[in-house]
């Protein structure tokens, strides 16, 4: 499969799943736009490396996904958007009665509202090009809940709902909108949850991984960023032309429980 001639914008892609998906997209020939809120030499170097490695145009554009105007500016600055991958996300873990308001607001803004803004900015470009793919990186937590993750679970359920709306609004156009729902993938976001969870449950790192993080993942294995990139590629293929408004779980059986 080739995505040559297509431009993919991947939000929150200087690390973890976003970076992994950007690499997989570039591997099959898509030009890629990487993004995060920082503007370091290493962010731009990351894009340059991907461009060289895969012979595509790769750019890094700084934009803070907690700010609506910057989300829209990212798409405008990219100038073209055939594939929009809404991936930027953060996490905070706390009981709801102790959940910091600032963390709630940031999670809703970055994990949910950013996709509203980028999608609104990208759809006219997809319509002009006569083809488009909106791929939202939700989570198993877009379909089910866990304690202490009120904002994250709310945002992820929200983005699954928004995916369905975008699919219906574009149903008679050559544009699809779907959500990928990963279970646990060992990325910096998951690494950052381990110390708090160790404290919460008074457990070792190994026990947290096996008995807490992967407790609900029946495969007992993390999903990988390459697998998620492969699923995103499939959603860009002609085989997926009639797949829209749905979720694809990559969770080792978690949501089958
Ligand atoms: P990560 O922390 O490695 O990556 C998150 C990315 O978002 C980073 O590139 C970060 O710079 C970026 N980001 C954070 N705040 C931003 C902001 N304000 N503006 C722009 N970019 C910002 O985490 P990850 O695990 O790769 O997560 C990526 C997505 O996948 C998230 O939406 C997350 O909820 C989802 N997800 C992750 C897992 C998992 O197990 N890792 C499981 C399900 C879903």
């Amino acid at each position: 499969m080739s995505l040559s001639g297509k431009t993919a914008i991947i939000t929150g892609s200087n690390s973890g799943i976003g970076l992994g998906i950007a690499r997989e997209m570039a591997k099959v020939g898509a030009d890629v736009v990487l993004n995060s809120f920082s503007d370091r030499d290493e962010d731009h170097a990351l894009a340059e490396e991907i461009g060289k490695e895969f012979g595509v145009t790769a750019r890094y554009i700084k934009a803070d996904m907690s700010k609506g105007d910057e989300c829209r500016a990212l798409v405008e600055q990219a100038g073209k958007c055939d594939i929009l991958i809404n991936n930027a996300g953060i996490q905070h873990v706390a009981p709801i009665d102790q959940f910091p308001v600032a963390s709630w607001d940031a999670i809703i803004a970055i994990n949910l509202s950013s996709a509203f803004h980028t999608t609104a900015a990208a759809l006219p470009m997809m319509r002009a090009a006569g083809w488009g793919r909106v791929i939202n990186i939700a989570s198993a937590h877009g379909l089910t809940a866990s304690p202490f993750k009120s904002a994250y679970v709310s945002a992820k359920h929200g983005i699954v709902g928004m995916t369905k709306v975008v699919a219906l609004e574009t149903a008679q156009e050559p544009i699809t909108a779907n959500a990928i729902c990963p279970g646990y993938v060992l990325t910096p976001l998951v690494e950052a949850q381990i110390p708090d969870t160790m404290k919460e449950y008074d457990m070792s790192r190994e026990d947290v991984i096996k008995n807490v993080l992967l407790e609900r993942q029946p495969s007992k294995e993390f999903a990988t960023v390459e697998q998620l990139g492969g699923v995103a590629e499939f959603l860009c293929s002609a085989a997926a032309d009639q797949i829209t408004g749905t979720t694809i779980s990559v969770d080792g059986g978690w949501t089958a429980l």
Side-chain angles (χ1 to χ4, degrees):
M1 120 149 231
S2 170
L3 291 176
S4 176
K6 307 284 191 211
T7 297
I9 301 177
I10 306 102
T11 71
S13 47
N14 66 352
S15 130
I17 292 172
L19 178 58
I21 293 180
R23 288 182 56 81
E24 294 301 310
M25 289 274 138
K27 204 186 273 180
V28 291
D31 294 327
V32 291
V33 175
L34 276 72
N35 152 265
S36 186
F37 58 86
S38 53
D39 200 9
R40 306 164 302 180
D41 289 346
E42 63 207 78
D43 295 321
H44 296 273
L46 208 49
E48 206 177 309
E49 273 165 38
I50 291 178
K52 274 198 195 130
E53 187 175 346
F54 301 111
V56 298
T57 302
R59 283 176 292 161
Y60 176 86
I61 300 178
K62 176 211 175 252
D64 184 344
M65 292 297 105
S66 70
K67 302 192 168 84
D69 55 345
E70 293 197 27
C71 297
R72 288 171 189 257
L74 165 66
V75 178
E76 297 307 329
Q77 216 179 313
K80 189 170 183 273
C81 182
D82 305 295
I83 302 161
L84 172 65
I85 303 189
N86 288 306
N87 167 77
I90 58 167
Q91 175 65 286
H92 187 84
V93 180
I96 195 161
D97 55 341
Q98 293 157 38
F99 209 92
V101 173
S103 300
W104 171 276
D105 289 344
I107 290 174
I108 298 299
I110 296 167
N111 297 20
L112 176 60
S113 302
S114 69
F116 157 66
H117 294 291
T118 54
T119 304
L123 278 181
M125 293 181 182
M126 294 179 182
R127 286 180 171 134
W131 188 90
R133 294 287 188 260
V134 178
I135 301 174
N136 294 323
I137 306 304
S139 168
H141 282 119
L143 303 168
T144 182
S146 293
F148 315 125
K149 297 186 176 175
S150 52
Y152 189 85
V153 169
S154 301
K156 294 298 185 183
H157 275 68
I159 204 164
V160 168
M162 189 165 65
T163 304
K164 295 177 188 177
V165 173
V166 175
L168 292 179
E169 291 185 13
T170 57
Q172 294 184 16
E173 302 174 79
I175 295 171
T176 67
N178 292 288
I180 299 177
C181 294
Y184 275 102
V185 186
L186 194 56
T187 65
L189 182 138
V190 169
E191 272 295 342
Q193 290 176 52
I194 294 176
D196 277 355
T197 317
M198 282 168 68
K199 252 189 262 162
E200 185 81 46
Y201 292 92
D202 192 22
M203 278 182 180
S204 69
R205 179 187 161 84
E206 206 179 51
D207 283 347
V208 162
I209 290 177
K210 211 174 113 214
N211 300 325
V212 181
L213 297 184
L214 297 181
E215 192 239 334
R216 292 167 75 187
Q217 199 146 309
S219 65
K220 298 294 169 199
E221 284 186 30
F222 287 108
T224 68
V225 299
E226 291 79 12
Q227 289 161 355
L228 295 171
V231 174
E233 267 168 48
F234 165 68
L235 287 172
C236 293
S237 72
D241 278 352
Q242 286 300 315
I243 299 178
T244 195
T246 195
T247 56
I248 299 188
S249 291
V250 185
D251 65 4
W254 176 341
T255 46
L257 280 174

